[in-house]
Amino acid sequence: MVAPETELRQWPELYRQLLVEAGLDRDTELAAALQPQDTNRPALFSLSQALHQPDLLRQQVRADYPDAQSGRAVTARLSVLQQELVLNIIAPLTLRLFLHGEAPLPDPDRIFFGALRPGKEQPSRWFQATTLAPVNVSDFVSGVEARVNAWYPIFRQAFGVSPGAYWSSIGLGLSAPFSVVWNRGEPAAVCRLAQSWLKQFECDANRFIDWIPAEFSGHSCALPQRKGCCLQYLLPEGGYCGTCGIYRKERMATLSHQKPRSTPAQWQPNL
């Protein structure tokens, strides 16, 4: 259940207190995590156009990626692109919300799918060229939950993205402030606050991701574990990310027998 507006407004301060207890400065950490978007590139179409005309995105995927010709390969690309949309649009906006106490909403009319660039390292295909005026925490929560709930049927039915993939990616994006300190905050405290934050949104993100205290490479940390897979492993350049739901049961069983330590680890969340 979503908290009253007065309680929602306290979240940036709750997060600041979490970092203070770990000897960290909220403004420094979040400002360092926010990277400027590369908007100086051709836009092929907006997210709004893709949602209203799904064939635009499907055809563009087939044109841009020679490996994406079969139905399964196209679905894998679309699933990964949905994750990119969340991590490159919703995640930075959530960081701004925790940094400033307000942030713009993701605007499908201003979110664009960029042209593919030649080169080995590709930036995210999605970018938000311009933004609306920022809103407070309460309006951000209600606005984002309305958007991701409205987008879900199109991603599920027209693009074939599974519920686990879609909602666990949404959960990762909304958890972005906690991923920033995954290996430096007190793990149990980070996990409790991250999970509580996800519960503020009336959508299925909280059902498809669990934040768990863990030991990674001998170091204490907090890990977000997905209950779905983005299908990145099916791409030619793919592989399994540290949050992947495919190995969830094995990873959870391993982590449950580990004893936490205090030195930061080196794994990096998908942000």
Side-chain angles (χ1 to χ4, degrees):
M1 180 179 294
V2 177
E5 181 175 345
T6 52
E7 293 183 24
L8 286 173
R9 289 177 180 174
Q10 299 174 6
W11 271 96
E13 177 60 21
L14 292 174
Y15 181 78
R16 188 192 69 81
Q17 293 174 4
L18 175 73
L19 267 61
V20 167
E21 292 171 1
L24 303 171
D25 178 72
R26 179 194 64 184
D27 293 3
T28 301
E29 298 296 329
L30 294 183
L34 279 167
Q35 300 294 324
Q37 281 200 335
D38 178 12
T39 59
N40 186 26
R41 52 186 162 140
L44 300 176
F45 44 80
S46 69
L47 174 60
S48 182
Q49 289 174 300
L51 294 173
H52 286 92
Q53 304 173 63
D55 277 347
L56 278 177
L57 185 54
R58 297 184 66 88
Q59 292 171 5
Q60 196 64 48
V61 163
R62 288 194 175 94
D64 289 346
Y65 303 102
D67 60 279
Q69 302 306 314
S70 69
R72 180 171 172 79
V74 171
T75 297
R77 282 286 176 187
L78 292 168
S79 181
V80 172
L81 285 171
Q82 185 263 333
Q83 178 175 256
E84 285 187 10
L85 170 65
V86 174
L87 296 183
N88 288 276
I89 302 297
I90 293 180
L93 293 176
T94 308
L95 292 175
R96 290 177 62 179
L97 181 75
F98 275 61
L99 177 60
H100 302 298
E102 59 180 16
L105 291 168
D107 183 352
D109 290 323
R110 294 174 168 85
I111 298 170
F112 294 98
F113 191 70
L116 191 65
R117 285 181 169 178
K120 293 183 179 180
E121 291 189 11
Q122 291 291 333
S124 169
R125 300 294 298 270
W126 301 101
F127 63 96
Q128 184 154 306
T130 58
T131 58
L132 300 171
V135 299
N136 62 28
V137 180
S138 179
D139 289 342
F140 185 87
V141 169
S142 61
V144 168
E145 70 187 25
R147 283 160 173 76
V148 297
N149 281 324
W151 300 347
Y152 172 68
I154 296 95
F155 276 97
R156 178 72 188 107
Q157 297 165 15
F159 298 138
V161 179
S162 72
Y166 182 89
W167 290 115
S168 61
S169 290
I170 296 292
L172 282 179
L174 294 175
S175 299
F178 303 94
S179 293
V180 170
V181 295
W182 72 279
N183 64 341
R184 288 176 294 161
E186 197 285 313
V190 171
C191 292
R192 282 194 301 269
L193 203 61
Q195 209 73 52
S196 181
W197 167 244
L198 290 177
K199 290 180 181 178
Q200 305 310 307
F201 295 84
E202 291 187 348
C203 67
D204 282 341
N206 186 61
R207 291 182 51 222
F208 284 92
I209 194 165
D210 291 319
W211 276 83
I212 56 172
E215 183 179 327
F216 180 79
S217 298
H219 305 302
S220 178
C221 57
L223 291 179
Q225 287 298 289
R226 300 167 63 125
K227 296 179 182 178
C229 175
C230 68
L231 303 184
Q232 176 180 303
Y233 76 98
L234 293 176
L235 306 187
E237 69 277 17
Y240 299 94
C241 64
T243 64
C244 184
I246 288 182
Y247 294 109
R248 174 186 171 83
K249 289 183 179 179
E250 294 89 337
R251 191 179 296 114
M252 296 282 280
T254 300
L255 294 174
S256 67
H257 292 91
Q258 294 177 341
K259 297 180 180 180
R261 301 180 187 178
S262 58
T263 309
Q266 300 301 313
W267 173 83
Q268 292 296 323
N270 288 336
L271 287 182

